[in-house]
Amino acid sequence: MQSMYFTEEHQLFRESLRDFLKKEVVPHIDKWEASGTIETFIWKKFGEMGYFGLATPETYDGLGLDLFYTVIFLEELQKVNSGGFAAAMWAHAYLAMTHLNKNANDAQKKAYLIPSVNGEKIGCLGVTEPFGGSDVAGMRTTAVREGDSYIINGSKTFITNGVYGDYCILAAKTAPSAGNKGISIFIVDLDKEGVSANKLNKLGWRASDTAELAFDNVRIPASSLMGEEGKGFTFIMEAFALERLVMGVNAHARAEWALDYAQQYMSERETFGKSINQYQALRHKFVDLHADMDLCKQYNYGVVYKMGKGEYVVREATISKLKSTEMADKVAYDCLQFLGGYGYIEDYPMARMFRDSRLGPIGGGTSEILKEIIAKIVIDKKEYRMPKE
């Protein structure tokens, strides 16, 4: 089935990326998980290998490759079994850099996109606020024009790379009374006077830094505005489909990894003179999980294919995240059970996988929010169209 989507070049890329991660990342994961800090050298190495520029045009130092290279990048990152490390990498490349690629002007791209491709600058996306998660139109952060500057006030939360990052793609209200038509997007350097970051203590994703960001009269040049005033909501909605699909692909990949690990363990673990993969209750449970994983995987590949052809896949990407993350959560829960007491021990990988997977149905839009979005499309016949350039 995979040959429908993956060429020999794709497979060679997967093998080289896998080797790179095994050599350069895996030996450091436990240290980064314990410290909650990813050392800066790895960003430069990712940049040197071109991994941050898969979806960026060659004009800006990228590789300009099709979306299935991104799928491989995401899938292999999940196999190092650190949701936090993976999130730091993909939040930079597919949250912050997506906006730079699509909406930045040439000067902004030279100042931020090229260094981001090369791993010299780390980006984050600042949309979610303490008083409203998926309610983007209800955000309270403001940007007030003052001569050749904007003055930013407000706060953002759950921002991956917000503590150790270099810049934030920030959503703020330039016309607070205009609802979602009053939102604009800015590039804000995180070392600006008035910006402060509080590192959040999370259940999982321990290797990544997740911040609550505060902006207290932060003055930024007017040239920091991306596109035009009032275009922010459109930019954010356009990017949400990719973000949800990224999280769907991440989910099927970590579920597949967990099942592979559990299968190996079950073949070696013996009770009453036989390996536990010979007990029907466990075999059939495993098969159910495997089938659910493969359904999500094949569905996700189909959605990636449609997105790569230019289709606006809001419904499909939302379904991808909803069903894949809930599936992965169940797989993590049951694979931990397959390990018995060892599943509960941090020295075994399922404990971390279990903690990391739990964020899937929460981050990037909770399952409850996603169901309401799908309900509006399917039941209320609401139409989402590709935003006009």
Side-chain angles (χ1 to χ4, degrees):
M1 184 69 178
Q2 287 188 19
S3 60
M4 284 178 58
Y5 305 112
F6 297 103
T7 64
E8 187 176 347
E9 287 78 13
H10 285 120
Q11 300 299 357
L12 290 171
F13 173 72
R14 186 187 293 277
E15 289 165 17
S16 69
L17 173 58
R18 191 175 291 170
D19 289 344
F20 171 85
L21 293 172
K22 186 176 180 181
K23 179 186 173 188
E24 303 291 351
V25 174
V26 171
H28 304 285
I29 286 294
D30 288 346
K31 174 176 57 177
W32 295 340
E33 283 281 323
S35 69
T37 308
I38 297 166
E39 291 166 283
T40 54
F41 76 84
I42 198 62
W43 295 92
K44 303 268 192 345
K45 289 197 173 184
F46 267 69
E48 289 166 7
M49 295 297 290
Y51 296 141
F52 291 139
L54 300 178
T56 297
E58 293 179 38
T59 319
Y60 297 102
D61 285 9
L63 298 173
L65 298 169
D66 68 69
L67 265 180
F68 281 97
Y69 283 92
T70 289
V71 169
I72 293 167
F73 178 73
L74 297 171
E75 288 179 332
E76 294 303 315
L77 276 175
Q78 291 300 311
K79 293 172 186 174
V80 305
N81 195 29
S82 170
F85 176 79
M89 299 299 119
W90 64 254
H92 169 64
Y94 296 103
L95 297 187
M97 286 176 60
T98 290
H99 284 275
L100 292 176
N101 264 308
K102 285 181 175 285
N103 308 315
N105 60 35
D106 184 62
Q108 291 168 337
K109 285 179 178 178
K110 285 175 178 169
Y112 291 93
L113 182 58
I114 290 175
S116 295
V117 167
N118 295 324
E120 294 161 359
K121 281 183 186 274
I122 302 169
C124 64
L125 177 64
V127 176
T128 301
E129 297 192 352
F131 298 101
S134 296
D135 180 15
V136 175
M139 72 172 56
R140 301 181 184 182
T141 299
T142 58
V144 178
R145 184 72 184 250
E146 193 176 279
D148 292 334
S149 303
Y150 284 93
I151 310 299
I152 309 285
N153 281 285
S155 59
K156 301 291 177 179
T157 196
F158 307 138
I159 309 303
T160 300
N161 296 336
V163 178
Y164 302 117
D166 298 296
Y167 67 90
C168 180
I169 305 297
L170 183 78
K173 288 273 184 78
T174 43
S177 61
N180 62 26
K181 292 181 173 61
I183 297 171
S184 303
I185 299 285
F186 300 87
I187 308 171
V188 180
D189 292 320
L190 291 175
D191 61 358
K192 283 277 186 189
E193 185 178 350
V195 180
S196 58
N198 173 39
K199 189 173 184 178
L200 300 172
N201 184 17
K202 310 185 297 294
L203 170 68
W205 282 22
R206 304 291 297 182
S208 68
D209 67 275
T210 306
E212 185 168 65
L213 295 174
F215 301 87
D216 182 12
N217 288 318
V218 177
R219 182 180 293 274
I220 61 172
S223 59
S224 301
L225 174 69
M226 295 179 74
E228 305 166 22
E229 281 195 9
K231 295 286 188 184
F233 188 78
T234 300
F235 292 163
I236 294 164
M237 290 300 110
E238 187 178 6
F240 267 167
L242 177 62
E243 179 181 353
R244 288 170 188 153
L245 188 51
V246 163
M247 295 191 74
V249 170
N250 288 339
H252 84 233
R254 70 173 167 271
E256 187 169 33
W257 184 91
L259 287 163
D260 287 346
Y261 181 86
Q263 186 172 10
Q264 180 66 31
Y265 177 88
M266 292 164 72
S267 71
E268 297 169 355
R269 175 69 167 167
E270 291 192 359
T271 61
F272 304 105
K274 63 180 180 181
S275 58
I276 63 173
N277 66 1
Q278 297 305 305
Y279 290 98
Q280 187 182 76
L282 300 183
R283 289 161 66 85
H284 289 190
K285 167 73 79 176
F286 183 92
V287 166
D288 276 339
L289 297 171
H290 173 83
D292 289 343
M293 177 278 296
D294 203 40
L295 281 170
C296 288
K297 180 180 176 181
Q298 301 306 332
Y299 178 83
N300 292 342
Y301 287 168
V303 180
V304 170
Y305 180 81
K306 291 172 77 171
M307 179 178 273
K309 293 293 184 186
E311 293 186 38
Y312 197 42
V313 291
V314 174
R315 181 183 65 87
E316 295 92 333
T318 306
I319 291 171
S320 165
K321 182 188 182 297
L322 172 67
K323 302 308 287 186
S324 299
T325 57
E326 292 187 345
M327 172 277 297
D329 226 20
K330 185 172 190 333
V331 166
Y333 185 95
D334 287 336
C335 283
L336 189 149
Q337 186 74 19
F338 288 144
L339 269 65
Y342 292 109
Y344 205 64
I345 303 299
E346 286 285 350
D347 294 341
Y348 284 72
M350 285 313 307
R352 181 189 299 159
M353 169 66 73
F354 179 73
R355 287 186 284 106
D356 285 353
S357 186
R358 190 62 189 88
L359 187 65
I362 299 172
T366 64
S367 290
E368 291 75 20
I369 289 287
L370 300 187
K371 286 175 182 176
E372 185 56 28
I373 291 167
I374 297 165
K376 285 178 179 176
I377 296 170
V378 176
I379 298 171
D380 300 338
K381 308 301 181 188
K382 182 176 175 64
E383 290 187 25
Y384 291 91
R385 293 189 176 91
M386 182 77 81
K388 294 177 182 176
E389 295 295 331

